[in-house]
Amino acid sequence: MSIDPRVALQSLTGALEEHLAAASARRGEGDPTVEAAFFAVADAFEVYEDALYEAYSEVTPLQVFDDEEEEDDEVPDEDLEIVED
């Protein structure tokens, strides 16, 4: 079942608006409302991207990064070696 890209875009913009509202009303670090809104944006974006590609074979220049992927790409400090001339 395909989703109309316009409907997916409306969901994405709604998720972005909710994220802005949650961020502006943040109650400290780790506010669960902000975190939930963050993930809602990521999920809505992926639905939009899939719908856009399915309908028009097109993508956006944006990418959702997963924290786990970033951690895998980082090189631990203890593996670095300083070479002096």
Side-chain angles (χ1 to χ4, degrees):
M1 174 170 88
S2 64
I3 297 175
D4 182 340
R6 287 174 185 83
V7 172
L9 179 59
Q10 289 173 343
S11 294
L12 175 57
T13 56
L16 287 166
E17 289 174 358
E18 289 295 320
H19 184 266
L20 175 59
S24 66
R26 176 187 304 262
R27 287 174 255 149
E29 286 294 315
D31 186 326
T33 304
V34 176
E35 184 175 329
F38 172 90
F39 287 113
V41 169
D43 291 343
F45 172 75
E46 289 179 357
V47 170
Y48 172 67
E49 184 93 351
D50 290 345
L52 186 65
Y53 187 79
E54 189 172 316
Y56 304 113
S57 297
E58 189 59 59
V59 295
T60 67
L62 307 173
Q63 183 177 6
V64 175
F65 289 99
D66 184 6
D67 287 342
E68 292 175 9
E69 289 175 8
E70 290 178 19
E71 291 172 4
D72 292 342
D73 292 341
E74 292 179 9
V75 176
D77 290 338
E78 64 266 10
D79 290 344
L80 298 177
E81 180 180 333
I82 298 174
V83 178
E84 296 180 18
D85 290 331

